[in-house]
Amino acid sequence: MSLNPQILHKKLMAEAPFAMRYQENENLEAWQEKARERLGKLLGYPHLMMPENDHFTVEYVDDANPAYTDTRILFDSEPECTVACHLWVPKGVEGKLPLVICLQGHSKGMHISMGKPIYEGDEQSINGGDRDFARQIVARGQAALVLEQRAFGERGGSAEGPGCYQVVMQALLLGRTLIGERCWDVSRAIDMVEAHFSQQIDMNKIALMGNSGGGTATTYAAAMEPRIAAAMPSCAFCGFKASIGDQRHCTCNYVPGIINDFDMGDLGSLIAPRPLVVVNGKDDKSFPLWAAKEQVEITRVAYKAAGAEDKLRHVVGQAGHRFYAADSWPVFDEVTGWRK
């Protein structure tokens, strides 16, 4: 007899059927169509709404930095739901540019991705983990779109940190999930770029990256959105049981019922054959490396079936829960071929 319900829950997670897992004898494209429809339902996509008008607004264009131009943008991803973002375009680079969409992890806002500390502790968060994604990207001659995710920073966070809990619970009451809403915002951001910046941006070279919670959103959004041509999730790609099942994580990580159909590696299978660079930290206790390796091998089956095993890479940094710029960008360049 056991009075602790976690014992039952952990047993059920260990015995999860992962009913939607890709099998080697299946047609990969047919499986992806079926699996993407199922994942969309789990994420609450049927309850999300396209805006009639994106109310695209440029708040300002800052040309002061010698390396890039910063355009501050607002647009609606759903009716009465506004997204704040910054488009950084490097100076002195000709032609249409690849674009990397940046999703910060659990932090105090998108200013982390821009390497601009505002609150106490921001500087350590940025410099202690290569989290200034946008600065890295423009230095590489590519454009960066820094997206404020729902419940972070200007969109429901505070100086204390993210404000996920109540937003998650409200979403669940509505048949939605916060992670699904964040993925939706990424897709609508791509719509916005295509509508307003396609003369500057190569729409066939749009990548998505993020660390921790940003890496989780990267994996889900790339699984759902085929226009994302490459993905680089960091310190998030891991077995559900070993990470968010056995450990306490923020409520925004959880999708009701998902473990019955998918594990993280199955979401990776939805990204095949597009370049996927999975980044983990050797000593990351929140997303254990051994469980991450298992999930990469699950994803590898789909990449082999697509004849694209060389497009799936696993980068392991020699520390903990952070991004590893020096290790990861050369691999990203190799699998995408976007940087000459």
Side-chain angles (χ1 to χ4, degrees), residues 1 20 40 49 58 65 86 92 106 132 134 137 149 153 156 158-159 162 171 202 205 247 261 285 315 330:
M1 182 175 67
M20 292 298 300
M49 299 175 287
V58 172
N65 193 292
H86 288 255
H106 270 73
D132 54 343
I137 292 160
Q149 296 194 79
S158 70
D202 187 337
K205 294 180 179 178
Q247 304 179 54
D261 289 320
K285 294 181 173 58
V315 174

Side-chain angles (χ1 to χ4, degrees), residues 172-248:
L172 293 177
L173 287 172
L174 294 164
R176 298 164 168 239
T177 64
L178 180 53
I179 189 67
E181 293 176 329
R182 288 173 177 168
C183 295
W184 183 265
D185 288 351
V186 170
S187 290
R188 303 292 71 78
I190 295 173
D191 292 344
M192 179 274 294
V193 170
E194 185 169 20
H196 303 286
F197 296 99
S198 59
Q199 291 185 338
Q200 294 173 277
I201 301 301
D202 187 337
M203 297 304 298
N204 294 314
K205 294 180 179 178
I206 294 180
L208 184 63
M209 70 169 297
N211 184 69
S212 190
T216 298
T218 293
T219 305
Y220 276 97
M224 288 298 298
E225 177 53 80
R227 292 177 296 175
I228 294 169
M232 185 160 58
S234 171
C235 288
F237 200 93
C238 188
F240 287 143
K241 181 181 183 297
S243 56
I244 63 174
D246 286 344
Q247 304 179 54
R248 181 173 179 171

Side-chain angles (χ1 to χ4, degrees), residues 19-337:
M20 292 298 300
R21 177 156 298 166
Y22 172 71
Q23 304 298 323
E24 288 184 77
N25 60 344
E26 287 186 89
N27 177 283
L28 180 60
E29 291 184 1
W31 174 82
Q32 287 178 328
E33 182 178 356
K34 176 178 62 175
R36 193 168 285 123
E37 180 180 5
R38 176 58 180 158
L39 179 59
K41 289 180 179 177
L42 291 169
L43 291 172
Y45 268 43
H47 299 280
L48 304 181
M49 299 175 287
M50 287 290 292
E52 291 184 12
N53 185 324
D54 71 358
H55 295 108
F56 171 81
T57 303
V58 172
E59 287 202 314
Y60 63 75
V61 178
D62 184 352
D63 205 34
N65 193 292
Y68 60 86
T69 299
D70 174 10
T71 303
R72 160 83 179 196
I73 300 162
L74 300 177
F75 69 93
D76 286 357
S77 61
E78 293 192 84
E80 301 184 55
C81 185
T82 301
V83 181
C85 58
H86 288 255
L87 177 63
W88 284 15
V89 178
K91 294 178 178 178
V93 182
E94 297 181 356
K96 291 188 176 184
L97 300 178
L99 175 71
V100 184
I101 301 173
C102 308
L103 303 178
Q104 74 286 341
H106 270 73
S107 68
K108 297 171 185 177
M110 64 179 170
H111 59 281
I112 299 295
S113 294
M114 296 189 287
K116 296 184 175 182
I118 297 175
Y119 305 112
E120 185 178 352
D122 283 351
E123 193 163 348
Q124 175 57 33
S125 178
I126 295 164
N127 297 328
D130 292 341
R131 295 182 176 92
D132 54 343
F133 306 140
R135 288 198 303 198
Q136 297 168 32
I137 292 160
V138 293
R140 294 161 39 78
Q142 298 170 346
L145 182 68
V146 182
L147 204 67
E148 190 78 282
Q149 296 194 79
R150 299 194 197 198
F152 290 171
E154 298 178 50
R155 302 188 66 201
S158 70
E160 303 303 316
C164 299
Y165 179 82
Q166 196 62 31
V167 182
V168 168
M169 296 305 154
Q170 292 165 348
L172 293 177
L173 287 172
L174 294 164
R176 298 164 168 239
T177 64
L178 180 53
I179 189 67
E181 293 176 329
R182 288 173 177 168
C183 295
W184 183 265
D185 288 351
V186 170
S187 290
R188 303 292 71 78
I190 295 173
D191 292 344
M192 179 274 294
V193 170
E194 185 169 20
H196 303 286
F197 296 99
S198 59
Q199 291 185 338
Q200 294 173 277
I201 301 301
D202 187 337
M203 297 304 298
N204 294 314
K205 294 180 179 178
I206 294 180
L208 184 63
M209 70 169 297
N211 184 69
S212 190
T216 298
T218 293
T219 305
Y220 276 97
M224 288 298 298
E225 177 53 80
R227 292 177 296 175
I228 294 169
M232 185 160 58
S234 171
C235 288
F237 200 93
C238 188
F240 287 143
K241 181 181 183 297
S243 56
I244 63 174
D246 286 344
Q247 304 179 54
R248 181 173 179 171
H249 281 252
C250 179
T251 51
C252 69
N253 286 279
Y254 297 87
V255 176
I258 193 166
I259 203 168
N260 295 314
D261 289 320
F262 302 101
D263 209 338
M264 186 67 86
D266 302 310
L267 305 188
S269 298
L270 278 165
I271 301 172
R274 293 168 284 161
L276 172 60
V277 179
V278 174
V279 182
N280 288 99
K282 177 177 68 70
D283 301 322
D284 186 353
K285 294 181 173 58
S286 296
F287 296 90
L289 180 58
W290 65 266
K293 288 181 175 180
E294 287 184 350
Q295 296 305 305
V296 170
E297 292 310 306
I298 290 168
T299 299
R300 193 177 306 281
V301 175
Y303 274 81
K304 283 183 178 179
E309 191 176 0
D310 63 322
K311 298 298 183 183
L312 171 65
R313 302 295 179 87
H314 194 191
V315 174
V316 179
Q318 297 304 300
H321 191 73
R322 51 163 293 173
F323 183 54
Y324 297 88
D327 297 322
S328 303
W329 285 118
V331 178
F332 180 86
D333 291 339
E334 184 180 344
V335 297
T336 62

